[in-house]
Amino acid sequence: MREQHNRNDGYRVESYLHYTGNKKGDPWCAAFVSWCLGKAGIHNPRTAWSPALLPQKRIIWKNGWQKEELQPQAGDVFGIWYASKKRIAHCGFIDVWGESIVMTVEGNTNEAGSREGDGVYRKRRLKRTLYAVADWVTARREDR
């Protein structure tokens, strides 16, 4: 899936943004994640604000720390910290959690892995570049 005019636009992108109450042209990586979770029947904050998808109570991995034996897996949400923004400023889904490489699926990125991209991509990222991983999918959370 690609943006129509490289301006955070197009039918699909606008569907993700509409789901979160945002408008055409807004950043949409988190809106994509929220929309996907919603389509899977998972209650979520319906947000285009990536930090909201990584709340402390759902964090199972952060900067190499891992909660008990809970290994990130397909469907978990990752966040990337941007020092210039002083916050998590990009997110997506874990597809495969490897030893040092993580396969992801993420919106509003590109081949280079930008947070201002042109579509949905399957990416290969170094695990050390991720800031945190949150569990939204499985029943392993105590608040489910």
Side-chain angles (χ1 to χ4, degrees), residues 68-79:
E68 299 145 17
E69 73 288 341
L70 301 177
Q71 179 139 332
Q73 59 186 354
D76 288 339
V77 176
F78 75 88

Side-chain angles (χ1 to χ4, degrees), residues 10-32:
Y11 176 76
R12 279 307 217 187
V13 172
E14 291 167 43
S15 295
Y16 308 146
L17 289 167
H18 178 75
Y19 179 81
T20 60
N22 291 79
K23 64 186 183 325
K24 175 181 174 178
D26 287 346
W28 56 276
C29 66
F32 168 72

Side-chain angles (χ1 to χ4, degrees), residues 12-79:
R12 279 307 217 187
V13 172
E14 291 167 43
S15 295
Y16 308 146
L17 289 167
H18 178 75
Y19 179 81
T20 60
N22 291 79
K23 64 186 183 325
K24 175 181 174 178
D26 287 346
W28 56 276
C29 66
F32 168 72
V33 170
S34 288
W35 182 88
C36 291
L37 291 172
K39 287 294 181 183
I42 298 168
H43 179 74
N44 72 83
R46 292 179 73 136
T47 184
W49 180 247
S50 51
L53 291 165
L54 289 109
Q56 187 59 42
K57 70 180 182 177
R58 292 189 179 272
I59 299 293
I60 58 168
W61 183 94
K62 186 173 181 180
N63 291 329
W65 167 87
Q66 189 169 308
K67 185 174 184 175
E68 299 145 17
E69 73 288 341
L70 301 177
Q71 179 139 332
Q73 59 186 354
D76 288 339
V77 176
F78 75 88

Side-chain angles (χ1 to χ4, degrees), residues 1 8 12 18 21-22 52-54 57 63 67 78 82 95-96 98 101 110 114 120 125 127 130-132:
M1 193 296 302
N8 293 345
R12 279 307 217 187
H18 178 75
N22 291 79
L53 291 165
L54 289 109
K57 70 180 182 177
N63 291 329
K67 185 174 184 175
F78 75 88
Y82 282 77
D95 189 24
V96 177
I101 303 289
N110 59 20
S114 169
V120 174
R125 293 192 179 270
K127 188 186 291 185
L130 304 184
Y131 178 72

Side-chain angles (χ1 to χ4, degrees), residues 92-121:
F93 290 106
I94 300 293
D95 189 24
V96 177
W97 187 258
E99 190 66 33
S100 61
I101 303 289
V102 178
M103 298 301 294
T104 65
V105 176
E106 48 198 273
N108 202 19
T109 192
N110 59 20
E111 291 292 334
S114 169
R115 65 179 287 274
E116 279 298 328
D118 62 0
V120 174
Y121 289 79

Side-chain angles (χ1 to χ4, degrees), residues 114-140:
S114 169
R115 65 179 287 274
E116 279 298 328
D118 62 0
V120 174
Y121 289 79
R122 188 165 192 250
K123 303 292 305 167
R124 171 180 255 127
R125 293 192 179 270
L126 291 172
K127 188 186 291 185
R128 64 180 166 78
T129 66
L130 304 184
Y131 178 72
V133 177
D135 177 5
W136 282 93
V137 178
T138 69
R140 62 190 182 197

